[in-house]
Amino acid sequence: MFGALARWRRRRVLQRVAIPDALWRDALASLPFLAVYTADELARLREKVVLFLDAKGIVGARGHEVTPLQRAIIAIQACVLVLELDLGYYAGFENVIVYPGEFVPDWEWEDEAGVVHRNDAPLAGEAMPGGPVALSWPDVAAGADWAATGMNLVIHEFAHKIDMRDGEANGCPPLPSRMPRAVWKKALTAAYDDFVARIDRGEDTEIDPYAAENPAEFFAVLSEVFFADPLLLRHEYPDVYGQFAAFYRQDPAPRAERLLAE
Ligand SMILES: [Zn+2]
C-alpha cells in the first residue's frame, strides 16, 4: 500500500514540477564532469533533481537571489551522489541556503565541558547534522569547473550530509548490508594515513590537502574526486575508489577513460 502511494506521489511530482529543456541544457553545460553520463542516466538524474527540488528549498540569504539556473546547478550536483541511491540519504533537512559570498555561521555549540564555542572564520560551505546545507554562490560557481579549481563545493557538502545520516560526520556513511564495514574502514584508514604522511612530508598532491584534516573531510574531498576526476582517485587510491564505486553504485573511471580516448 505504502509503495503504491509513494509511486503515485512520485508520478504526480514529476508531472507537476518540470525543469524546462533550455534550463536543463544550460545547467548541464556548466558542469563538464557530467560528460561521463549516458543519455539514459541523465534522464534519471533529471527525475531525481525534480524530486529533490520538490522536497528541498534552495533559498538565498543576506540579499542573494537564487536564479533558476543556480538552483538547477546546485540540485544537479547534489543528486549526482544519490543517482543510484535512495533520496532518503538526504532526509532530515529542508533547505539549502545560498549566500552571496563566504559567510560566518551564526550558531554556537557547547562542548562536553560546557564551554560555548562560536565559529568566526568565514566558510565557503557548511553541512549541519539535522540542519541545512549552506553554500557560498561564488564558491559553487568556481567548483563547477573542476579542471580549473580542483574542487567541488556542492559534492563536498552533500557527501558530509550522506556521512551524517548515521550521526556525526566520521568518514563512514551508513553502509548497505552488502558492504562490510571492516573492509570500508581498512581501505579508508590506510589511504588516510598515507595521505596525511604525504602532506606532513610537504608533498605537492593533486588531491586537495584539506583532505588530511580528519577522516570526515577525507571522505568529503575524495567524494569530490570520485565524481569530478575519477581517474585521479582510481590511480591514487584504488581501494578507496572500489569502496566508493560499491557504495555510490557508480563506476565513472572507465567512462572517463573512454571519453579521453575519443
Ligand atoms: Zn568539509
Side-chain angles (χ1 to χ4, degrees):
M1 178 61 201
F2 176 74
L5 191 66
R7 279 195 299 280
W8 172 80
R9 195 179 169 278
R10 183 170 181 279
R11 258 200 322 277
R12 223 175 71 120
V13 169
L14 290 174
Q15 283 161 2
R16 192 161 43 87
V17 196
I19 301 176
D21 286 344
L23 177 62
W24 179 251
R25 275 197 305 272
D26 287 352
L28 288 191
S30 24
L31 299 166
F33 72 92
L34 295 177
V36 299
Y37 289 103
T38 64
D40 175 60
E41 286 165 329
L42 289 175
R44 284 192 296 112
L45 181 63
R46 187 167 170 174
E47 277 194 14
K48 203 135 240 185
V49 167
V50 169
L51 295 169
F52 178 87
L53 288 173
D54 180 64
K56 312 285 179 208
I58 300 185
V59 293
R62 310 226 170 111
H64 185 75
E65 276 201 42
V66 184
T67 66
L69 181 61
Q70 292 177 4
R71 183 169 284 116
I73 285 173
I74 291 169
I76 288 172
Q77 294 178 92
C79 288
V80 159
L81 293 97
V82 292
L83 176 61
E84 309 296 350
L85 303 178
D86 195 289
L87 257 185
Y89 272 100
Y90 293 154
F93 73 101
E94 281 165 18
N95 289 309
V96 180
I97 300 170
V98 188
Y99 289 97
E102 290 198 338
F103 55 92
V104 179
D106 53 5
W107 49 270
E108 296 175 332
W109 77 98
E110 200 177 304
D111 66 19
E112 282 146 20
V115 179
V116 174
H117 297 266
R118 262 189 96 84
N119 183 351
D120 47 14
L123 300 175
E126 184 182 48
M128 293 271 290
V133 172
L135 302 165
S136 142
W137 174 255
D139 292 273
V140 172
D145 186 0
W146 176 269
T149 59
M151 57 159 274
N152 185 300
L153 180 65
V154 181
I155 292 179
H156 183 102
E157 298 306 335
F158 280 86
H160 280 319
K161 269 293 179 196
I162 289 174
D163 189 358
M164 286 167 186
R165 271 306 281 160
D166 56 357
E168 290 292 307
N170 59 4
C172 184
L175 299 172
S177 52
R178 66 188 156 81
M179 292 184 67
R181 203 181 157 91
V183 179
W184 174 280
K185 278 222 105 135
K186 188 162 174 267
L188 272 284
T189 306
Y192 178 68
D193 291 347
D194 174 73
F195 191 72
V196 169
R198 289 166 67 190
I199 297 300
D200 284 349
R201 285 199 299 270
E203 193 182 311
D204 223 0
T205 56
E206 270 192 77
I207 294 173
D208 187 347
Y210 186 60
E213 196 78 6
N214 57 51
E217 295 306 336
F218 193 65
F219 170 67
V221 171
L222 266 57
S223 289
E224 297 173 56
V225 183
F226 177 75
F227 288 104
D229 198 352
L231 292 172
L232 174 64
L233 183 61
R234 197 182 61 176
H235 172 73
E236 298 234 348
Y237 294 112
D239 291 348
V240 172
Y241 181 91
Q243 287 297 298
F244 281 18
F247 174 69
Y248 288 116
R249 308 183 81 115
Q250 299 189 42
D251 190 9
R255 290 130 162 243
E257 223 158 30
R258 274 199 297 280
L259 271 184
L260 278 177
E262 271 172 19

